[in-house]
Amino acid sequence: MTEALPIRSPVIMRSRLMLEVASHLVAQPDWGDKQVEIHLRPQGNPDWRLCFFASDAPNAVDAVMSGAADVAICNPGGILAMACRGVAPFDRPMPLRAIMVLPQFDQFAFAVSGATGITSLADLRDKKYPLRLSLRGQPDHSVHLVTNLVLSTYGFSLDDITTWGGQVRYDEGTPGSGRIQMAERGEIDAIFDEALNTFGRKALELGWRFLPVDKPNLKELEAMGLRRVAITPREYPGVNEDVWTVDFSGWPVFTREDAPDAMVSAFCAGLDARKDRIPWYGTGPMNLSVMVSDTREAPMAIPLHPAAERYWRAHGYLK
């Protein structure tokens, strides 16, 4: 893809300078400000015309629907399926469409210490066990929405756990970046979270177990838009049989259904042109065929925007 203007154009040089510096900074381990929002406009125009938001949480839906962002990202894709169906917390069907899905296979885990004696979510409810539960510290993270939805299908809530004498705490980081060490020290006896690959094996070594989501509850959750997935003995040898739970895979890049075709096509072309420079969970250049075809790592929870579908099909990524 060629530059639209000569590289010595002052506006290009200034914009590239800022984008390159930001790209470097967000990759540094000691740089805390890693989430990016990019605004674009004609030079000197009083209004910003486009916004690309490197988001991750359900509030990205509000940003796109309100026009605060034109393209955003949300994990998992099931959140967008819920939005398209108008399932709470979304108060009406949202006309959203995908551009592609950044791949990452993941499972949500209801992990509890074996010392609790709890073997299922229904067991937790019936015994009113005073669980010491660690949840993600990021308040707008999708894990909170998913946790509350799953528990609601069993007829109880996080507030009930505290009423039973338990503790619901909100700890920073993924389960594998400090929180599983809390389990090792005996400070907590449950973690409800995604990013299972960061803590699952260690949890099993500690004698923890993963609580299954029962089939009737999975059907109810699937009707809302969430998908099911298994935690298998092949991936986690300490598991005796498949443990069915909620899929947390994929990072859909999405926009509004009425987003201009030209903007969506340009976004696809830009991604195509720079795919070998964008970091992702795989190796080598981004495999865009995986990212637009409803795969295990990149589930297509909502339909592609028509312009995106045309682009990926025309360039051989979508059959």
Side-chain angles (χ1 to χ4, degrees), residues 113-276:
S113 168
T116 64
I118 300 298
T119 59
S120 69
L121 290 167
D123 196 26
L124 171 60
R125 176 198 63 203
D126 296 342
K127 291 181 178 177
K128 296 182 169 56
Y129 190 89
L131 208 60
R132 294 175 299 163
L133 170 62
S134 172
L135 291 174
R136 189 75 65 102
Q138 181 183 336
D140 65 348
H141 200 283
S142 297
V143 297
H144 304 295
L145 175 55
V146 171
T147 297
N148 287 320
L149 281 176
V150 174
L151 297 187
S152 71
T153 67
Y154 283 90
F156 73 101
S157 67
L158 293 172
D159 288 340
D160 288 320
I161 293 176
T162 59
T163 300
W164 302 334
Q167 178 189 21
V168 178
R169 51 188 289 171
Y170 296 86
D171 299 309
E172 291 302 315
T174 62
S177 61
R179 291 162 61 201
I180 192 62
Q181 288 73 29
M182 297 175 189
E184 196 168 16
R185 295 192 298 267
E187 297 171 6
I188 57 174
D189 44 36
I191 295 174
F192 294 173
D193 213 325
E194 47 111 15
L196 181 59
N197 65 320
T198 70
F199 77 104
R201 290 179 180 269
K202 183 62 177 179
L204 292 169
E205 289 173 9
L206 295 174
W208 283 36
R209 62 170 59 98
F210 306 133
L211 305 181
V213 181
D214 297 300
K215 288 183 180 179
N217 305 78
L218 285 171
K219 288 183 178 179
E220 188 174 345
L221 293 163
E222 284 175 325
M224 298 177 188
L226 299 178
R227 296 189 182 190
R228 71 175 71 189
V229 70
I231 302 171
T232 69
R234 179 177 57 82
E235 296 165 306
Y236 297 93
V239 174
N240 295 323
E241 59 184 5
D242 288 355
V243 177
W244 286 94
T245 185
V246 175
D247 186 23
F248 222 88
S249 302
W251 296 74
V253 178
F254 69 100
T255 187
R256 294 181 300 278
E257 184 178 37
D258 63 356
D261 288 1
M263 185 272 289
V264 175
S265 297
F267 189 97
C268 294
L271 177 60
D272 196 1
R274 300 302 178 100
K275 60 181 180 291
D276 60 339

Side-chain angles (χ1 to χ4, degrees), residues 71-83:
V71 177
I73 305 173
C74 186
N75 170 244
I79 301 298
L80 300 184
M82 291 171 57

